[in-house]
């Protein structure tokens, strides 16, 4: 990935020196920093240095009309509650460096659009595993998050992606204020560079799992088309060095879901063992078989069953290969459930290498 040439203009030399030194030390491979304490000849310098992103303090007067078209301009502001200043984008100067860096990536992605494509240095592509509920309330999201956590703790670069329309993300932490809505916008819009935009809004949990916050509106993912989802996943599995992408989705026979069944590397159906759940699981597996026959693609041989909230595997009769049994845990906190399940042996039969 090429370096972003970043110009910073601020009358406070102490702040300017501090942030310049921080960026140079922490992001020396990603950003080349140019700093200025006044706006003299800034438009000319932008052209000469080919500066990609210019951020100037709001108390410095700059004729933005003179800034070259290839440069994205924004103002430094004192409060993160400010959305725009003089009809220009803003970056809050008093926040963590990681957050400022994410916003810089977002600004650059909007200016760069899709004129430049980035290629991962490795030829390897991520394995995609889809977790779905074999019955209502089976705990697919929790088990998927636990599996992603287990992979991350083993040193595997892992992305967790919740595609449920009303789903939540059981991870916290990480720099950034974007969400999966931004990722959807990136693939729908031709006005941003998808690679940079996705990188600017992804977060990383304390356990090392990369994730996107839930959509701002539950309708955002619903309005996404199957070919757009394919484009997005192609980008994610190719250009970020992920070894695994763990997805969880609603079991709903729409175009996007049927595409996922064919696209992913493996499918984990999560179910408990009560009688009504066995009936639901059977119907859902039959639906998968129907998609397989209709599309003439191999799906059923990559499906595995994970029994959750279950003490015995002998009480369950099914043709689906059993990959694990997780006893019911008396834990109310989802984050604690994720932690405990990730440390159990329930995933031992699911390939992680």
């Amino acid at each position: 990935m090429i370096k972003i040439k970043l110009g910073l203009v601020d009358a406070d030399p102490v702040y300017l020196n501090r942030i310049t030194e921080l960026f140079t030390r922490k992001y020396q491979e990603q950003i080349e920093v140019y700093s200025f304490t006044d706006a003299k000849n800034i438009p000319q310098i932008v052209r000469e240095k080919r500066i990609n992103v210019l951020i100037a303090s709001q108390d410095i007067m700059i004729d933005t009309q003179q800034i070259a078209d290839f440069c994205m301009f924004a103002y430094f502001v004192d409060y993160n509650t400010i959305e725009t200043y003089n009809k220009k984008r803003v970056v809050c100067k008093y926040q963590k460096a990681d957050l400022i860096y994410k916003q810089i990536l977002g600004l650059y992605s909007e200016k760069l659009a899709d004129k430049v494509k980035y290629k991962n240095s490795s030829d390897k592509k991520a394995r995609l595993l889809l977790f779905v509920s074999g019955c209502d309330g089976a705990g697919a999201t929790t088990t998927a998050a636990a599996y992603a956590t287990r992979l991350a703790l083993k040193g595997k670069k892992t992305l967790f992606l919740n595609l449920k329309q009303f789903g939540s993300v059981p991870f916290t932490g990480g720099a950034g204020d974007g969400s999966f809505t931004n990722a959807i916008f990136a693939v729908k819009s031709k006005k941003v560079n998808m690679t940079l935009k996705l990188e600017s809004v992804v977060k990383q949990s304390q356990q090392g799992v990369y994730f996107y916050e839930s959509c701002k509106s539950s309708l955002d993912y619903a309005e996404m088309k199957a070919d757009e989802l394919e484009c997005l996943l192609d980008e994610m599995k190719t250009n970020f060095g992920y070894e695994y992408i763990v997805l969880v989705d609603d079991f709903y026979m729409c175009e996007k879901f049927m595409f996922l069944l064919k696209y992913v590397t493996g499918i984990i159906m999560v179910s408990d063992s009560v009688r009504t759940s066995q009936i639901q699981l059977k119907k859902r597996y039959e639906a998968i078989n129907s998609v397989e026959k209709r599309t003439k693609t191999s799906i059923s041989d990559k499906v595995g069953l994970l029994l959750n909230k279950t003490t015995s595997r002998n009480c369950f009769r099914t043709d689906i290969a059993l990959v694990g049994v997780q006893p019911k845990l008396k834990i109310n906190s989802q984050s604690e459930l994720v932690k405990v399940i990730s440390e159990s042996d329930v995933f031992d039969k699911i390939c992680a290498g």
Side-chain angles (χ1 to χ4, degrees):
M1 184 178 290
I2 62 174
K3 282 188 177 181
I4 298 174
K5 292 187 176 182
L6 172 66
L8 302 175
V9 188
D10 198 297
D12 182 354
V14 175
Y15 175 81
L16 196 60
N17 290 336
R18 188 172 74 247
I19 192 170
T20 300
E21 180 182 347
L22 182 60
F23 277 158
T24 301
R25 183 178 71 252
K26 194 168 185 178
Y27 304 107
Q28 59 180 334
E29 299 298 324
Q30 295 88 6
I31 295 179
E32 183 178 336
V33 184
Y34 299 85
S35 58
F36 313 93
T37 54
D38 62 64
K40 185 179 180 180
N41 299 324
I42 284 295
Q44 179 181 346
I45 294 172
V46 166
R47 288 184 172 85
E48 291 176 353
K49 300 294 185 181
R50 302 293 296 181
I51 291 176
N52 306 119
V53 178
L54 179 69
I55 308 177
S57 177
Q58 66 185 89
D59 57 3
I60 291 180
M61 299 299 295
I62 290 183
D63 185 358
T64 57
Q65 297 295 324
Q66 299 299 316
I67 301 298
D69 289 340
F70 58 77
C71 180
M72 186 68 178
F73 179 82
Y75 280 108
F76 262 144
V77 294
D78 294 339
Y79 305 101
N80 58 15
T81 54
I82 300 174
E83 292 187 0
T84 61
Y85 182 78
N86 283 345
K87 298 181 180 180
K88 297 293 182 181
R89 301 287 297 277
V90 300
V91 175
C92 179
K93 62 194 297 186
Y94 300 117
Q95 58 182 333
K96 292 181 179 180
D98 289 346
L99 289 170
I100 297 178
Y101 172 66
K102 292 278 189 178
Q103 289 178 280
I104 291 169
L105 285 181
L107 289 168
Y108 187 46
S109 74
E110 294 179 29
K111 179 57 67 174
L112 194 61
D114 277 341
K115 297 176 183 177
V116 175
K117 293 287 185 181
Y118 295 102
K119 184 178 180 180
N120 183 24
S121 57
S122 172
D123 292 331
K124 293 183 179 180
K125 295 183 179 181
R127 287 170 51 86
L128 285 83
L129 286 97
L130 173 65
F131 282 69
V132 294
S133 294
C135 64
D136 297 337
T141 300
T142 301
T143 52
Y147 182 61
T149 299
R150 184 181 181 89
L151 291 171
L153 292 175
K154 284 176 173 275
K156 308 290 185 182
K157 187 174 183 180
T158 303
L159 173 69
F160 173 83
L161 202 56
N162 192 338
L163 300 179
K164 288 187 171 184
Q165 185 171 358
F166 300 102
S168 60
V169 178
F171 297 110
T172 57
D177 56 0
S179 69
F180 193 56
T181 294
N182 300 97
I184 294 173
F185 172 79
V187 74
K188 282 180 172 290
S189 172
K190 302 301 181 182
K191 297 180 180 180
V192 298
N193 181 275
M194 194 191 308
T195 306
L196 290 177
K197 192 63 179 180
L198 292 178
E199 186 179 352
S200 73
V201 295
V202 72
K203 296 185 176 183
Q204 189 176 20
S205 72
Q206 293 180 343
Q207 296 79 18
V209 179
Y210 290 86
F211 67 97
Y212 292 91
E213 293 287 1
S214 300
C215 288
K216 295 177 181 178
S217 167
S218 59
L219 294 177
D220 292 340
Y221 178 66
E223 294 173 352
M224 194 178 193
K225 298 177 181 178
D227 61 333
E228 293 170 338
L229 178 59
E230 181 178 10
C231 180
L232 185 64
L233 292 177
D234 281 346
E235 185 77 21
M236 289 176 170
K237 78 175 184 180
T238 304
N239 290 335
F240 295 93
Y242 296 125
E243 296 177 73
Y244 285 84
I245 298 177
V246 179
L247 308 102
V248 59
D249 198 5
D250 296 306
F251 198 106
Y252 178 66
M253 282 301 174
C254 62
E255 185 181 4
K256 289 198 297 288
F257 184 72
M258 288 189 286
F259 154 73
L260 282 175
L261 292 176
K262 296 179 290 181
Y263 184 85
V264 299
T265 310
I267 302 166
I268 307 299
M269 299 187 74
V270 183
S271 176
D272 58 43
S273 59
V274 301
R275 178 60 180 166
T276 54
S277 298
Q278 294 187 43
I279 295 172
Q280 288 185 36
L281 177 67
K282 181 180 179 181
K283 291 181 177 179
R284 295 183 186 194
Y285 188 58
E286 287 174 350
I288 290 176
N289 288 329
S290 296
V291 174
E292 183 177 47
K293 292 176 182 178
R294 186 187 312 168
T295 60
K296 297 181 180 179
T297 55
S298 178
I299 300 176
S300 58
D301 61 350
K302 58 184 178 182
V303 179
L305 173 64
L306 190 153
L307 290 178
N308 191 28
K309 310 173 188 177
T310 302
T311 56
S312 174
R313 67 186 68 195
N314 297 324
C315 60
F316 208 101
R317 295 288 181 266
T318 178
D319 294 331
I320 310 173
L322 187 65
V323 296
V325 178
Q326 174 59 50
K328 186 172 182 179
L329 300 171
K330 295 181 179 180
I331 301 174
N332 294 323
S333 167
Q334 188 180 36
S335 60
E336 184 63 21
L337 268 174
V338 168
K339 178 179 181 298
V340 172
I341 296 175
S342 71
E343 296 170 349
S344 72
D345 60 0
V346 67
F347 301 118
D348 286 354
K349 289 187 178 180
I350 302 176
C351 178

